[in-house]
Structure formats: structure tokens, C-alpha cells
Amino acid sequence: MVNRGRARVRRTQVGIIGAGPAGLFLAHLLHRQGIESVIVENRNRAEIEGTIRAGVLEQWTVDLMNEMGLGARMMREAHFHSGITLRFNGKSHHIDMEGLTGGKRVTVYAQHEVIRDLVAARLEDGGEIVFNVGETSLHDLDTDRPKIRYRRDRDGEVEEIHCDFIAGCDGFHGPSRPAIPEAARTEYQKVYPFGWLGILTEAPPSYPELIYANHERGFALLSTRSPEIQRLYIQCDPKDDIANWSDDRIWSELHARLATKDGWSLTEGPIFQKGIIAMRSFVCDPMQHGRLFIAGDAAHIVPPTGAKGLNLAVADVVVLSRGLVDYYRSGRMERLEQYSATALRRIWKAERFSWYMTTMLHRNEAETPFEQRIHLADLDYVVHSRAAATALAENYVGLPID
Ligand code: FAD
Ligand code: DHB
């Protein structure tokens, strides 16, 4: 470390902003190829390991964790389901993902568990994650020596990381995407008029697989975390205050929306975590500017109905790592220059699928009764046509990266 002006300066090959799924997977993928990186993260370790978010891993994400030697706890503790249930008009319909996709399963393993496994392994490998930084900023992106500047411990000493490339993996609100000049990027966006209220409850599982329910009172989703803890969601007004939702009100909506005509019932338990998230679809094109490459939520957002957010972030950095490996092996920039176009082809398909699942399953009062009936016809088609069910399954378990 040297002093440059008032900043302490250090060097690495790839400077990574953000220790979410994108940043952590990237650091591991690079390490396996002998490429150095440093991650800077503005929250502390307990915060990133405790934030409740996504739950479903695509099959190739599971395979990648295992190939990287990071899958041992996941293989012990995750829930592996052969499919999902679509519920509408009070009836359940099993979509046999495993049978329809040649053996790919649905893996339920919470995002913060993935984060815990990746952080622990990264630190064990001698990797560096600078937690709790403040005022992160990006500089000299048009040169071959881009820089990340930040303050240690939020308001401490200023440090700079000088690197060959910056990976902006800092989520939707991070500084990386805005570092691409506005004139150099196009943003595509759709904001939905509904959000999800998510809960964690201490109760045994009510059903052996995930249930996605279309109901006239709004969408509901039943998921799981462990034999003792369940995760459930209901569609709500994104601007609603969680204080308006008593536990009794939440359970009463869940019972109504998940009800069947065959006597199935939902098991209640104490609710120990609840919150509301808004929903949007968003894509930034391109995902590169000079020596900055953005990945994951920094570049795109999907509504959570397709369970794609985390997986998409990992897919981006797989593509990015291949470009970086090519550069460090041969000095060739071609594959890196293709990063944005390659990643966006897959991203747009995940955007399409997430939008499709969201519009098909949610109740949108702005839609006409005609449109609402079309969604029911779509569901009826999916559960009765092998071709339609196969298309849904193929997207849900994850499209190939290439
Ligand atoms: P993130 O996980 O957002 O990681 C970015 C990291 O960068 C964070 O740790 C952040 O602290 C850090 N950072 C931000 N700014 C700075 C800065 N200035 N300096 C340094 N570091 C910075 N997806 C689903 O599929 N299903 C779900 O149920 C679901 N629920 C969600 C609930 C919430 C509340 C949110 C926000 C997202 C949810 N998602 C869900 C989406 C999924 O969690 C994300 O797609 C996934 O986390 C993307 O990973 P990422 O690494 O790109 O970004
Ligand atoms: C979970 C989240 C999702 O967005 C989804 O589609 C399925 C499950 C979950 O948190 O368990």
C-alpha cells in the first residue's frame, strides 16, 4: 500500500464493488483461475449474511456451487423438489420440472445462506473483502488503470484500489450503473402496480413443494426454509405500510388465497419477520463502459415471481469471468467486449419469463375482465399441455448460459 495524495493506494487485478451473489461468485470464479480481486462492500458482514431475500437456485447454480467446492452445506440443508404447484380456481396442478427437463430440480436454499457459504470460503482462501466502506466512487474508467475510491469504516481513511478492470456488482442502488454516462446507456423499465408482502414463520411445512397461487384477491406463494421455518408471500399494494398488516390479517389472506376445494389446509405459526417489496422490470444496455463491467441487479431487475434475480446475477459473472480469463491468458479483449451482448441475450429471456409469470399469476385491477380471463386460460393451457408445461419448466429451472 502506498500513499497517493491523501489516499492510501493498493493494487489488484479486478476491483469488485459489492459482496452480493454477483460480487462473491465473481471473486471465487477468478480465484480459481489465478486472477486476483478485492471486494469492497458498504455493509458489514452480519448485515449481508442476515438480509432475507431470494430462495430458489437454478440447477446450474447448484452445479456451479458444487464444482467450486462450495456446495457441501447446501447439499445437506437445501430442499430439493421435483417440481412446483400452480394453484387456481381452488385446484392444485403439479408441474413436474424434473420429468420435463431431463432431471433438473428446484432447489430451495436461501440467498443469505449462499452468501454465508461464499464469504466464509473466500476468507478461508485468503481473499479480501473490505466491509463497511463509505462513499464508494469510480474513476478513470476510460483508462487502463481504473480506480475505486472509498472510506474505510464508513467515515475513516480514504483508500484507492487501482485495478485493470472494475466489476460493478453493487445492486440496483449502487454507484456503478450511474458511473456509465447517461448518453452512453439506454434503460428499459416497467413498474408493476403491486408488491409482495413476505413473511417468515415458525411452522412445519404445509406442502411438499412451492405453491404459486392465482386468486381473485391477489397472488400468494408458499415456500419453505427448513423443517421449522416457512417463507410465504402475498401480493399487496407496494406503497402499503407493513404496520397495516397484523399477523391475523396476513394469515387470513393467506388462507383465502391458498384455499383448495379438497380439504388441504395451511399450518400457521408465529410470524417473526415481515416486510414489503415493490416490483419492477429493468434493463440497462450496455452493461459495460470502458473498463467498467456491471453485473446482477446493478444492470437489471426482475420481479421475483420467476425466482430469477439471484441466478441471473450469477450467470452474468460466469460470462464476465470467461472474458477476464481470456484477457489474462492471452491479452485478448474480444470476449470482454462481447460481455454485454452475450449476457443481455439471456437476461432478456429471463425478463420475459419473469414478466410472464408475474402478469399470469397476479391480479391487476387496471386490467379488463377480458385480460384477467386470458391469464386463467394461460394457466389452464400450461397445466394441460405438455408443450406449454415444458416451456415453463425449461425457463424455471434455468436456461443454458451459452
Ligand atoms: P445485491 O444482492 O443487491 O448485492 C449488491 C451488494 O452491493 C450489496 O451487498 C450492497 O450492500 C453492496 N453495495 C451497494 N452499494 C454499494 C456501495 N456504494 N459500495 C459498496 N458496496 C455497495 N429475487 C428472487 O428471485 N426472489 C426473491 O424473493 C427476492 N426477494 C428480494 C427481496 C429484496 C428486498 C430485494 C432487494 C431483492 C430480492 N430479490 C429476490 C432479488 C435478488 O435478491 C437479487 O436479484 C440478488 O440479490 C442480486 O444479486 P447482486 O449481487 O446483483 O446484488
Ligand atoms: C422464493 C422466492 C421467489 O421469488 C420465488 O419465486 C420462489 C420462492 C423464496 O423466497 O423462497
Side-chain angles (χ1 to χ4, degrees):
M1 180 111 51
V2 292
N3 281 306
R4 176 176 167 271
R6 283 183 16 257
R8 277 150 56 88
V9 173
R10 52 191 315 184
R11 225 205 86 66
T12 191
Q13 290 176 302
V14 181
I16 301 176
I17 309 177
L24 287 165
F25 269 95
L26 180 61
H28 278 283
L29 288 163
L30 295 178
H31 173 69
R32 292 197 326 156
Q33 301 293 332
I35 301 169
E36 261 179 42
S37 67
V38 173
I39 303 181
V40 298
E41 164 59 54
N42 69 348
R43 294 185 296 160
N44 64 40
R45 184 173 176 184
E47 281 176 283
I48 67 165
E49 293 185 348
T51 306
I52 306 300
R53 284 194 173 181
V56 177
L57 303 183
E58 293 179 0
Q59 182 66 53
W60 67 268
T61 306
V62 171
D63 296 342
L64 179 65
M65 282 190 63
N66 283 327
E67 277 164 34
M68 294 199 301
L70 300 169
R73 195 165 69 93
M74 171 185 68
M75 295 313 286
R76 284 196 310 274
E77 295 180 13
H79 299 260
F80 300 97
H81 298 165
S82 65
I84 60 165
T85 286
L86 294 177
R87 190 172 278 178
F88 56 100
N89 291 335
K91 277 202 187 138
S92 292
H93 304 268
H94 173 66
I95 304 285
D96 174 17
M97 305 277 173
E98 198 170 2
L100 292 165
T101 61
K104 294 182 182 165
R105 293 186 295 177
V106 178
T107 302
V108 187
Y109 190 61
Q111 177 165 335
H112 67 276
E113 306 292 2
V114 175
I115 299 285
R116 279 176 59 194
D117 296 343
L118 267 68
V119 168
R122 190 70 203 115
L123 298 178
E124 243 166 64
D125 285 346
E128 189 174 359
I129 306 172
V130 189
F131 289 107
N132 218 21
V133 303
E135 299 175 23
T136 315
S137 56
L138 297 84
H139 305 270
D140 304 332
L141 303 177
D142 292 319
T143 71
D144 59 7
R145 189 54 82 239
K147 301 166 184 73
I148 303 171
R149 189 177 299 153
Y150 57 92
R151 280 187 189 277
R152 260 199 189 259
D153 302 321
R154 301 260 163 109
D155 54 4
E157 236 179 299
V158 177
E159 288 186 4
E160 270 181 15
I161 299 180
H162 293 196
C163 37
D164 301 327
F165 301 98
I166 297 177
C169 302
D170 44 5
F172 189 65
H173 301 287
S176 293
R177 187 179 64 259
I180 303 177
E182 242 172 79
R185 62 184 142 98
T186 305
E187 296 184 346
Y188 302 85
Q189 173 157 256
K190 177 178 172 63
V191 177
Y192 299 86
F194 35 76
W196 277 12
L197 188 162
I199 63 160
L200 285 170
T201 180
E202 215 181 305
S206 293
Y207 204 68
E209 61 189 19
L210 271 60
I211 303 171
Y212 288 81
N214 168 302
H215 191 274
E216 59 194 26
R217 298 185 66 84
F219 171 75
L221 168 59
L222 177 134
S223 181
T224 188
R225 284 295 178 267
S226 72
E228 298 82 28
I229 295 174
Q230 311 313 315
R231 179 81 165 141
L232 295 104
Y233 299 94
I234 40 180
Q235 175 185 344
C236 68
D237 179 343
K239 295 194 190 76
D240 206 347
D241 186 343
I242 193 70
N244 294 329
W245 287 85
S246 66
D247 292 4
D248 280 352
R249 182 175 173 209
I250 293 172
W251 283 118
S252 133
E253 279 302 324
L254 281 165
H255 282 292
R257 298 181 192 190
L258 288 164
T260 63
K261 293 173 184 153
D262 62 11
W264 173 84
S265 78
L266 175 65
T267 309
E268 290 188 20
I271 295 175
F272 61 91
Q273 204 264 354
K274 55 183 171 181
I276 291 176
I277 56 161
M279 282 160 67
R280 76 172 87 212
S281 299
F282 174 92
V283 179
C284 172
D285 182 356
M287 294 162 62
Q288 176 197 359
H289 181 72
R291 291 275 178 132
L292 166 68
F293 296 83
I294 59 174
D297 278 16
H300 44 74
I301 295 287
V302 286
T305 326
K308 290 276 157 268
L310 180 163
N311 299 287
L312 214 43
V314 183
D316 286 356
V317 297
V318 168
V319 176
L320 179 56
S321 70
R322 290 176 184 167
L324 290 166
V325 168
D326 239 27
Y327 172 82
Y328 284 109
R329 290 231 174 106
S330 65
R332 281 200 308 265
M333 285 289 285
E334 286 84 349
R335 210 161 178 187
L336 268 178
E337 299 289 353
Q338 283 301 310
Y339 162 69
S340 181
T342 306
L344 280 165
R345 283 186 59 217
R346 190 172 183 282
I347 288 160
W348 274 110
K349 289 179 200 129
E351 291 283 344
R352 183 205 69 82
F353 180 68
S354 303
W355 164 85
Y356 159 75
M357 289 287 279
T358 301
T359 48
M360 178 169 72
L361 286 160
H362 287 69
R363 181 80 172 190
N364 183 350
E365 293 305 337
E367 285 183 344
T368 60
F370 176 86
E371 288 163 312
Q372 289 167 355
R373 292 301 297 260
I374 289 288
H375 299 318
L376 286 173
D378 211 343
L379 280 163
D380 197 24
Y381 177 49
V382 161
V383 302
H384 289 110
S385 152
R386 190 177 170 85
T390 305
L392 187 145
E394 175 179 61
N395 281 276
Y396 192 90
V397 300
L399 294 174
I401 293 194
D402 293 309

